[in-house]
Amino acid sequence: WNINRYLLSSQHFTAIHKSWYLSSDLNYVSDVNYFSDFGRTLEETSKQLLESEVGLFGRGKYWNIELSASNWQIVNPTQTAETEPYTRIPRIAMSGSKPFAPWLEIGLNAEAVVFRHDQLEDGNRLDLMPYVKFPIIGSFWYATPSISWRQTEYWLSNNTNTNSENHLSRGLPIYSVDAGANFERIVSFAGQSFIQTLEPRFFYLYVPYRNQDDFPIFDTQALTYMCASLFRKNRYGGADRQADANQITTALTTRFLNETTGKEMINFSLGRINFFSASQVYLPDEVPQPTGGSDWVAEVNLRLNDQWQIGLT
């Protein structure tokens, strides 16, 4: 009886030019119970969704571009049709930046997506974020002020919110300053010499509040809080929400490098965010941020040899 139950899967990669390549990852199962019945591992039996994607990718010295399409299939009977992510056909994304002087860099991040769903509201989204950076570099320190403008436009096929139009727009500035220093000294352990670095880093971020309650949520989720989160300009992945912020990150990293080979043997980072004002932008059912400051976050990476490394966050 299981002869008609099947999994189709294919992965393909083609280099078209030194700057362009075509990639596809296509997957399909015959029925929603396939992995729960035939899965061999816990990861397979608990799988919720199956993604298929095809894309054309280009890369140059100062730019990256992507033209892709992605679709999802529910592969767990506990999931309903409303929980299936949006189909993105197509998605066009590009990013580019170029230094025009040692103290000036201009760049652009842009994305245009057509979202389709059988059960939920359809729509198109255009997200543009030009920015200017002013890097200042000293002998052992650096500071990089940055100014961005994020403009996001929506065209909704059937807006279910009666208080807003089918065309929605959001525009707001993003200001940040990333600064740090690097100190070094020679230390010895077990008869070996190491270079120890001490790297304090400060990151100030200011984003004014914009009411986004009427905006749809196509592909946005709250990002996992980790060391990289300390220096992000948005705590969300996706363009449907841009969090307001008035905060400063304080972090410290130390590394131990082999004095002879220069290989990094161990690094340790510790940091947290201090909030000058509470954020007002949240996803539905999201837990509000703590007032005053975030939790401390730490990360350590230890190189055992050339083949093995242990990391803990």
Side-chain angles (χ1 to χ4, degrees), residues 103-174:
W103 49 268
L104 176 63
E105 178 182 336
I106 299 176
L108 171 68
N109 296 317
E111 181 191 50
V113 192
V114 176
F115 293 97
R116 295 292 179 264
H117 201 287
D118 293 335
Q119 304 292 326
L120 303 176
E121 176 186 25
D122 295 336
N124 306 330
R125 186 185 71 201
L126 175 65
D127 186 47
L128 302 173
M129 189 164 65
Y131 62 86
V132 180
K133 293 183 178 180
F134 305 95
I136 306 169
I137 301 176
S139 57
F140 64 94
W141 60 273
Y142 66 89
T144 306
S146 175
I147 302 174
S148 310
W149 180 269
R150 187 165 202 179
Q151 188 69 37
T152 309
E153 305 289 331
Y154 291 88
W155 294 268
L156 306 178
S157 59
N158 184 24
N159 196 346
T160 56
N161 190 327
T162 58
N163 295 324
S164 59
E165 303 293 336
N166 286 345
H167 174 239
L168 301 175
S169 180
R170 178 194 66 204
L172 73 170
I174 300 173

Side-chain angles (χ1 to χ4, degrees), residues 77-255:
T78 63
Q79 298 296 303
T80 63
E82 289 80 6
T83 64
E84 182 179 358
Y86 279 85
T87 295
R88 301 191 294 183
I89 302 179
R91 174 179 182 263
I92 304 173
M94 68 160 293
S95 62
S97 64
K98 184 177 181 180
F100 287 88
W103 49 268
L104 176 63
E105 178 182 336
I106 299 176
L108 171 68
N109 296 317
E111 181 191 50
V113 192
V114 176
F115 293 97
R116 295 292 179 264
H117 201 287
D118 293 335
Q119 304 292 326
L120 303 176
E121 176 186 25
D122 295 336
N124 306 330
R125 186 185 71 201
L126 175 65
D127 186 47
L128 302 173
M129 189 164 65
Y131 62 86
V132 180
K133 293 183 178 180
F134 305 95
I136 306 169
I137 301 176
S139 57
F140 64 94
W141 60 273
Y142 66 89
T144 306
S146 175
I147 302 174
S148 310
W149 180 269
R150 187 165 202 179
Q151 188 69 37
T152 309
E153 305 289 331
Y154 291 88
W155 294 268
L156 306 178
S157 59
N158 184 24
N159 196 346
T160 56
N161 190 327
T162 58
N163 295 324
S164 59
E165 303 293 336
N166 286 345
H167 174 239
L168 301 175
S169 180
R170 178 194 66 204
L172 73 170
I174 300 173
Y175 306 99
S176 67
V177 178
D178 190 358
N182 192 316
F183 304 97
E184 296 182 357
R185 68 171 183 170
I186 303 296
V187 296
S188 297
F189 292 111
Q192 294 189 17
S193 295
F194 298 90
I195 300 173
Q196 182 191 7
T197 70
L198 195 63
E199 306 167 28
R201 185 177 177 185
F202 304 93
F203 181 72
Y204 175 73
L205 175 66
Y206 178 76
V207 184
Y209 169 72
R210 296 290 187 273
N211 189 324
Q212 301 160 54
D213 293 342
D214 291 342
F215 287 22
I217 302 174
F218 288 136
D219 63 353
T220 293
Q221 294 181 346
L223 297 171
T224 302
Y225 181 62
M226 54 194 303
C227 272
S229 308
L230 300 174
F231 309 102
R232 290 183 178 135
K233 296 182 179 180
N234 192 11
R235 67 175 189 272
Y236 300 112
D240 299 320
R241 293 293 185 273
Q242 171 61 57
D244 58 313
N246 184 13
Q247 62 191 47
I248 187 168
T249 293
T250 305
L252 182 66
T253 298
T254 184
R255 309 174 196 272

